[in-house]
Amino acid sequence: MIRQALFAGLAAGMLAACTADARASDDDVGATTQATVETITPEALADRIAAGESIQLIDVRTPEEFAQGHLTGAINIPVDRFDPAALPDPQGTARVLYCRSDRRSGIAAGRLAEASGEDAVHLDGGILAWEEADLPVKRD
């Protein structure tokens, strides 16, 4: 009798676990993958640029900060005016956003990922990390 009760309890537990697993996988059907915000190190970005990879660089700092120094070829779109829908067409190139330290570019990258449904990349540590890595900065 005890053995029969234990077996019944075990069977009920296994059935409940299987049902819970089935429900969880049913919930996954039709689920969408959320775009993420990723970072790239200054060295990795410099390597990609040196390899000739076409990258659209977007500096989200103020125009005054941009004029003090920026990555060669970057365009300036301050974070307070950053509208993912209004960005220039990257024409199949990768986009990398950056700012002074990576806080503002992280915000802009989040907006871009949410609006586009695609992963967005920003420079880890911003232009400060770029300069600390002794990489070139264009000064106007």
Side-chain angles (χ1 to χ4, degrees):
M1 182 85 157
I2 293 174
R3 191 164 81 188
Q4 190 175 15
L6 286 173
F7 180 72
L10 181 60
M14 289 174 63
L15 181 60
C18 289
T19 303
D21 286 346
R23 266 188 260 121
S25 64
D26 287 346
D27 291 342
D28 292 342
V29 174
T32 59
T33 304
Q34 191 170 12
T36 61
V37 173
E38 300 174 1
T39 59
I40 186 169
T41 66
E43 296 81 5
L45 178 57
D47 287 347
R48 288 174 64 180
I49 292 169
E53 186 174 335
S54 182
I55 299 175
Q56 185 182 65
L57 298 167
I58 302 174
D59 186 322
V60 299
R61 298 175 301 154
T62 66
E64 295 79 20
E65 290 173 299
F66 184 81
Q68 291 173 1
H70 54 272
L71 278 61
T72 301
I75 57 174
N76 184 222
I77 305 173
V79 72
D80 62 346
R81 292 183 280 173
F82 188 83
D83 176 6
L87 291 177
D89 183 357
Q91 301 177 357
T93 64
R95 274 189 177 130
V96 176
L97 288 71
Y98 73 94
C99 63
R100 181 177 177 273
S101 65
D102 83 13
R103 186 186 65 79
R104 289 175 282 179
S105 61
I107 292 167
R111 289 182 197 163
L112 179 58
E114 185 177 332
S116 68
E118 297 177 7
D119 294 346
V121 180
H122 71 113
L123 183 60
D124 189 26
I127 198 164
L128 292 177
W130 181 268
E131 289 178 313
E132 188 173 302
D134 202 29
L135 294 165
V137 173
K138 181 176 183 193
R139 306 211 188 270
D140 290 340

